[in-house]
Amino acid sequence: MSSLQSVTDDTFDEVVLKSDLPVLVDFWADWCGPCKMLAPVLEQLAAEQEGKLTIVKLNADENQEIARRYDVMGLPTLNLYKNGEVVKQLVGAKPKRLIEKEIAEYL
């Protein structure tokens, strides 16, 4: 089980869009193998970037409103939000170093 905070359709705006820190949202589903492979990478990244970045998970099957709002078509999808706006989107399981490189300019 993940120690990352989960967000829902109901909590998304408050937790993600109103955050003072950049927020990386992991759109995932129980049936998604690559999502499960990505989970430990995100856990490690969250620990290393504590205080600079928040990482949360959103189950796209259970929270379809938010997934539709941001046109999430494939899983896993990582959206990076800063000041309430999507500034970066990564689709598919990526290695940690690539995720770090892609989000570095926003931290």
Side-chain angles (χ1 to χ4, degrees):
M1 187 67 186
S2 172
S3 66
L4 297 176
Q5 178 182 357
S6 291
V7 293
T8 65
D9 286 344
D10 295 332
T11 62
F12 183 86
D13 289 2
E14 186 67 33
V15 173
V16 176
L17 301 184
K18 295 180 181 177
S19 175
D20 293 333
L21 293 176
V23 181
L24 187 65
V25 178
D26 173 24
F27 290 86
W28 69 284
D30 286 326
W31 51 264
C32 171
C35 298
K36 292 176 182 169
M37 291 173 22
L38 188 59
V41 171
L42 296 177
E43 298 266 354
Q44 186 178 15
L45 196 56
E48 291 171 2
Q49 298 297 329
E50 189 172 352
K52 292 191 279 184
L53 174 71
T54 301
I55 301 178
V56 299
K57 300 176 73 62
L58 184 135
N59 185 315
D61 285 344
E62 296 173 1
N63 300 281
Q64 295 179 10
E65 177 186 326
I66 298 298
R68 272 195 299 272
R69 185 192 304 175
Y70 291 101
D71 296 321
V72 173
M73 300 299 202
L75 297 177
T77 291
L78 300 175
N79 278 1
L80 181 64
Y81 297 81
K82 188 166 186 174
N83 300 319
E85 301 291 326
V86 177
V87 293
K88 184 60 102 175
Q89 183 178 69
L90 302 169
V91 179
K94 307 281 188 223
K96 180 174 170 256
R97 70 184 184 289
L98 178 62
I99 296 170
E100 290 171 323
K101 181 179 177 223
E102 291 289 331
I103 66 172
E105 69 183 282
Y106 303 103
L107 302 183

